[in-house]
Amino acid sequence: MDKKVFIFDDNVEILELCTEILEDLGFEVKTSPTTTDVEEQVLEFMPTLIFMDNWLPDISGIEATKLLKGNEELSHIPVIYFSANSNISELAALAGADDYIAKPFDIELFEEKVLKYAEA
């Protein structure tokens, strides 16, 4: 099975850090700073796991997650909500995400969540 993770985040430093961690774990990584055509972006790459920031250009992480979870071809892909918001658990629930990680995040926790969902 392909080990592929797609990260939607508009913070370049976060994208670089996450990409480095994931590549060290043996994952192929794709990143996007925007949720424009989010379903098409995900369909093209077909990841095993998605990280979704809350504040993104175009449509919010909540709307983007709802679109993905509402798409029959994509709804099986776990989405981990990824945000610095203090109410991240509520936002993740509202979006229909499978889990969440608060930023700034602990690298070990990040790796644990990745392995839990990407290898499930």
Side-chain angles (χ1 to χ4, degrees):
M1 188 171 99
D2 288 343
K3 290 169 59 171
K4 296 160 79 171
V5 178
F6 204 139
I7 308 168
F8 289 91
D9 200 312
D10 58 349
N11 181 324
V12 176
E13 289 163 2
I14 294 271
L15 292 176
E16 287 173 357
L17 174 65
C18 293
T19 299
E20 199 172 303
I21 294 166
L22 291 164
E23 285 177 346
D24 283 350
L25 291 173
F27 286 88
E28 185 182 339
V29 182
K30 184 169 172 66
T31 62
S32 178
T34 168
T35 48
T36 306
D37 300 324
V38 66
E39 291 168 276
E40 288 79 2
Q41 287 191 67
V42 173
L43 276 166
E44 212 171 89
F45 187 62
M46 284 311 280
T48 44
L49 178 63
I50 297 167
F51 279 92
M52 184 68 71
D53 186 21
N54 187 56
W55 301 106
L56 286 157
D58 193 26
I59 59 173
S60 72
I62 290 174
E63 292 307 312
T65 302
K66 284 181 176 177
L67 283 172
L68 295 173
K69 289 298 184 181
N71 183 317
E72 216 172 87
E73 291 176 82
L74 305 173
S75 60
H76 68 283
I77 303 171
V79 176
I80 297 180
Y81 218 68
F82 197 45
S83 176
N85 288 64
S86 57
N87 61 338
I88 184 168
S89 60
E90 294 163 35
L91 294 173
L94 196 61
D98 297 88
D99 207 337
Y100 62 89
I101 293 181
K103 292 182 204 168
F105 59 88
D106 175 81
I107 291 175
E108 283 182 22
L109 175 70
F110 179 82
E111 290 178 346
E112 279 172 27
K113 296 247 185 191
V114 168
L115 296 173
K116 174 183 174 183
Y117 288 100
E119 302 192 342

